[in-house]
Amino acid sequence: MSADLEPDVSVLMTVYNGMPYLADAVESIRGQTYSRWKMVIVDDGSTDESGDYLDSLDDPRITVIHQDNAGTAVASNHGLKLCETEFLARMDSDDICDPTRLEKQVAFLRDHPNVGLVGSQIVPRGAQKAGRVIPLATDHESIYSQLRKGQHAMCHPTILMRTALLKGIGGYWKQHGMFDAWDMFLRMGEVGELANLPEPLLQYRIHTGSINGKHMRKLQASIEFACELARRREENLPEIAYEDYFAQRARAGLLSRFAKQVNVYALLQYRLASIDLLGGHRLRGYARLAWSGLCSPGRSVNRLLRQLKLA
């Protein structure tokens, strides 16, 4: 391969029990219109057939690493060591990329040197069909402000970023068992601008295997802690340990703790409603959607405004 055709994009994927969707995710990368990529896949101790499938891949562009289960942050940092290209793309093991995703995102970063990380709009995909586009802000100020408030503004498997910037902030955080993307978004937004392309370039698969009460509680805790760390950086306050922060939160008033639990429960019901509606269970889906709205009316109004593109 001549020097001018060397890869300038590394696609990093971490996998834990990715079947039966893993093959579709990998093939959506292999089918990209942009050809200057390589792929690093970290199998994070899968116990299903994921490891066998990955070992069967006969593609010199793809490197597979197997490790004992240690969580996505450890797996991401492990794979990051093998990513030396100018750009780094993330991909989940159950999603599907548009064939033009890498081509359009590389062109955007080359045309916008002030942007360090770019994502895209997303389309949820259920068992039977795909849903409507989930609108996300496209400019840095809106994206960063929403992230700081704990509001959904970027989708991790859509992003392409400048590898040097990610390594410069130390990669992903090291909190075992926590979701690492939110903290990375915030820290990247402190050293460069964030952006989302206005078109959907990824179908984001939603299924009950990836969404449950424990998952949602861990996700919300990860977001809350990431926002607290960002606040402390902004105000030049010392960093706080995860255990100490949540010990302080546990001492909060009963009403405050109850409100947080209700919000997590409402978000879970909304996600389950989406799975039902895209999986052919319309009656149950609409019932769950209504119940979610009653539990958290403010969040429901915000979603409606997003759909109307008024948020």
Side-chain angles (χ1 to χ4, degrees):
M1 183 180 290
S2 60
D4 60 334
L5 295 179
E6 285 293 320
D8 58 6
V9 175
S10 296
V11 181
L12 176 58
M13 174 191 288
T14 64
V15 180
Y16 177 72
N17 292 348
M19 303 303 280
Y21 309 114
L22 178 57
D24 288 344
V26 173
E27 289 305 314
S28 75
I29 295 297
R30 295 174 80 177
Q32 290 291 301
T33 57
Y34 192 80
S35 60
R36 296 179 58 190
W37 60 266
K38 69 174 187 176
M39 192 172 191
V40 177
I41 305 177
V42 182
D43 176 20
D44 186 32
S46 294
T47 57
D48 64 358
E49 297 80 24
S50 296
D52 293 336
Y53 164 74
L54 293 174
D55 287 339
S56 73
L57 292 172
D58 186 16
D59 191 327
R61 300 170 296 179
I62 299 176
T63 300
V64 175
I65 304 170
H66 297 282
Q67 67 173 36
D68 293 336
N69 181 252
T72 57
V74 173
S76 295
N77 285 323
H78 191 177
L80 182 59
K81 296 175 183 177
L82 299 183
C83 299
E84 301 293 342
T85 53
E86 181 179 3
F87 303 115
L88 173 69
R90 289 306 309 256
M91 180 62 184
D92 279 357
S93 60
D94 54 358
D95 298 332
I96 302 174
C97 284
D98 183 276
T100 64
R101 173 195 164 185
L102 294 181
E103 179 181 355
K104 291 176 178 176
Q105 290 185 312
V106 168
F108 183 88
L109 286 188
R110 292 203 184 282
D111 289 342
H112 298 82
N114 55 317
V115 175
L117 183 154
V118 61
S120 78
Q121 311 303 305
I122 58 174
V123 174
R125 183 181 183 89
Q128 291 191 2
K129 61 180 181 178
R132 299 167 58 185
V133 175
I134 298 176
L136 300 173
T138 57
D139 64 286
H140 172 75
E141 289 76 14
S142 298
I143 293 170
Y144 188 79
S145 174
Q146 290 173 16
L147 290 171
R148 281 287 286 108
K149 296 174 184 176
Q151 299 172 357
H152 184 212
M154 300 206 83
C155 181
H156 189 235
T158 70
I159 62 173
L160 180 80
M161 52 191 153
R162 302 184 192 277
T163 309
L165 280 183
L166 179 62
K167 292 186 175 182
I169 64 170
Y172 289 86
W173 68 4
K174 311 304 190 293
Q175 298 292 335
H176 178 69
M178 299 288 283
F179 290 93
D180 48 351
W182 213 278
D183 174 75
M184 183 273 292
F185 288 153
L186 290 170
R187 289 186 293 123
M188 286 289 284
E190 294 165 8
V191 297
E193 294 188 7
L194 309 174
N196 281 314
L197 296 184
E199 59 200 294
L201 296 178
L202 182 120
Q203 291 191 18
Y204 185 84
R205 199 183 299 272
I206 54 176
H207 50 90
T208 54
S210 63
I211 296 177
N212 54 46
K214 180 180 179 181
H215 173 101
M216 296 308 302
R217 288 191 296 273
K218 185 168 71 171
L219 174 62
Q220 291 302 110
S222 300
I223 292 171
E224 183 178 335
F225 186 54
C227 290
E228 171 63 15
L229 293 180
R231 182 187 73 83
R232 287 173 173 269
R233 289 192 297 271
E234 289 176 0
E235 300 178 7
N236 294 316
L237 297 174
E239 186 170 322
I240 188 171
Y242 169 82
E243 295 80 6
D244 294 339
Y245 173 70
F246 282 98
Q248 291 179 11
R249 194 183 74 159
R251 292 193 291 270
L254 180 61
L255 185 60
S256 175
R257 295 201 306 271
F258 178 72
K260 289 181 182 295
Q261 292 173 359
V262 169
N263 278 329
V264 171
Y265 176 77
L267 182 57
L268 172 62
Q269 293 304 309
Y270 174 78
R271 298 285 179 86
L272 292 174
S274 299
I275 293 172
D276 285 337
L277 292 171
L278 298 179
H281 304 289
R282 295 173 62 84
L283 183 60
R284 185 172 65 191
Y286 283 123
R288 274 184 165 148
L289 197 61
W291 180 236
S292 172
L294 288 173
C295 292
S296 183
R299 191 185 292 269
S300 299
V301 169
N302 184 60
R303 290 194 195 100
L304 179 60
L305 292 175
R306 282 173 177 264
Q307 288 294 337
L308 295 174
K309 298 186 178 179
L310 296 176

